[in-house]
């Protein structure tokens, strides 16, 4: 709904106190939204395309001049992102589908870092990646937030939610059950699960 892929049953979207009518992904991008999907393989990476192409595609307009692609600028930005996020790839022209899951995720994050949205939506950002890559992804997310951006992280891993979040929204069958403010009262797994299932839950 936030990205205009599905229609909302009710409610509205407001960004910076301005109501927005989002009907497409391009409109969502214009409103400053960036989205990293939970299904990295099928909805995130463009498998047969290169690392460079996957990084720059959301921001392709900035590399065009009179209809021609400014390849040097595209290469420079891709190489800078590889260095910034410590992405392991033989070259920027390597097919992204041949990278590890963690490095594929870094490529998708680079895509949005180049686009520079104001609101990042990370859905299951560490699904299917190893422990070392998880730690790197967490650092990247914190850096994004510390840079003055809003980060919405959707996760089914409770330690991840508790460890990363300032504020936690718990939902049950699509309905908001409540919010937990980590600064005033750090959340527990039992508290989150109790809200999620609608009754007291004991681990």
């Amino acid at each position: 709904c936030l990205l205009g892929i599905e229609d909302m049953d009710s409610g509205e979207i407001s960004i910076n106190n301005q109501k927005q009518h989002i009907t497409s992904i391009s409109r969502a991008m214009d409103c400053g939204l960036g989205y990293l999907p939970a299904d990295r393989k099928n909805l995130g990476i463009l498998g047969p395309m290169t690392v460079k192409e996957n990084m720059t595609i959301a921001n392709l307009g900035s590399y065009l001049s009179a209809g021609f692609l400014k390849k040097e600028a595209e290469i420079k930005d891709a190489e800078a992102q590889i260095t910034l996020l410590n992405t392991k790839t033989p070259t920027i022209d390597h097919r992204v589908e041949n990278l590890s899951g963690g490095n594929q995720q870094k490529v998708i994050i680079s895509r949005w870092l180049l686009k520079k949205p104001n609101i990042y939506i990370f859905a299951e950002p560490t699904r299917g990646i190893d422990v070392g890559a998880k730690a790197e992804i967490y650092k990247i997310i914190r850096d994004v937030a510390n840079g003055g951006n809003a980060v919405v992280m959707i996760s089914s891993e409770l330690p991840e939610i508790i460890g990363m979040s300032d504020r936690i929204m718990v939902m049950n069958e699509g309905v908001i059950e409540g919010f937990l403010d980590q600064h005033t009262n750090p959340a527990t797994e039992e508290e989150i699960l109790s809200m999620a299932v609608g009754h007291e839950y004991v681990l």
Side-chain angles (χ1 to χ4, degrees), residues 14-172:
S14 293
I15 300 174
N16 294 327
N17 297 318
Q18 296 291 320
K19 185 177 178 180
Q20 302 292 342
H21 184 57
I22 299 176
T23 57
S24 66
I25 288 187
S26 60
R27 174 61 184 152
M29 290 167 62
D30 289 341
C31 291
L33 289 167
Y35 176 63
L36 287 86
D39 188 347
R40 177 176 60 248
K41 182 177 179 181
N42 294 310
L43 300 177
I45 64 167
L46 303 169
M49 297 176 70
T50 68
V51 169
K52 176 190 67 182
E53 291 166 336
N54 269 268
M55 285 182 175
T56 60
I57 193 164
N59 200 34
L60 204 56
S62 68
Y63 302 107
L64 295 175
S65 178
F68 292 94
L69 187 63
K70 296 184 289 185
K71 292 184 178 181
E72 290 185 3
E74 188 184 22
I75 290 170
K76 180 181 178 182
D77 282 354
E79 289 179 340
Q81 285 297 314
I82 287 171
T83 300
L84 178 67
L85 302 191
N86 193 31
T87 305
K88 300 296 189 298
T89 178
T91 69
I92 59 173
D93 294 317
H94 195 65
R95 285 168 65 129
V96 74
E97 63 189 357
N98 294 329
L99 300 182
S100 68
N103 286 300
Q104 288 177 358
Q105 191 74 315
K106 290 180 183 179
V107 169
I108 302 170
I109 293 172
S110 288
R111 178 186 301 167
W112 294 110
L113 291 178
L114 289 173
K115 182 62 178 174
K116 298 179 181 177
N118 304 117
I119 303 168
Y120 290 74
I121 303 172
F122 290 83
E124 303 290 353
T126 62
R127 176 180 289 173
I129 63 178
D130 62 42
V131 174
K134 279 187 177 184
E136 290 184 301
I137 297 298
Y138 292 150
K139 181 182 183 304
I140 293 166
I141 294 173
R142 289 192 183 97
D143 288 344
V144 168
N146 291 336
N149 304 288
V151 174
V152 178
M153 189 180 75
I154 304 160
S155 177
S156 54
E157 296 191 29
L158 295 185
E160 182 170 271
I161 292 171
I162 293 170
M164 292 292 294
S165 304
D166 294 311
R167 193 162 56 115
I168 300 168
M169 181 178 78
V170 185
M171 301 183 72
N172 180 3

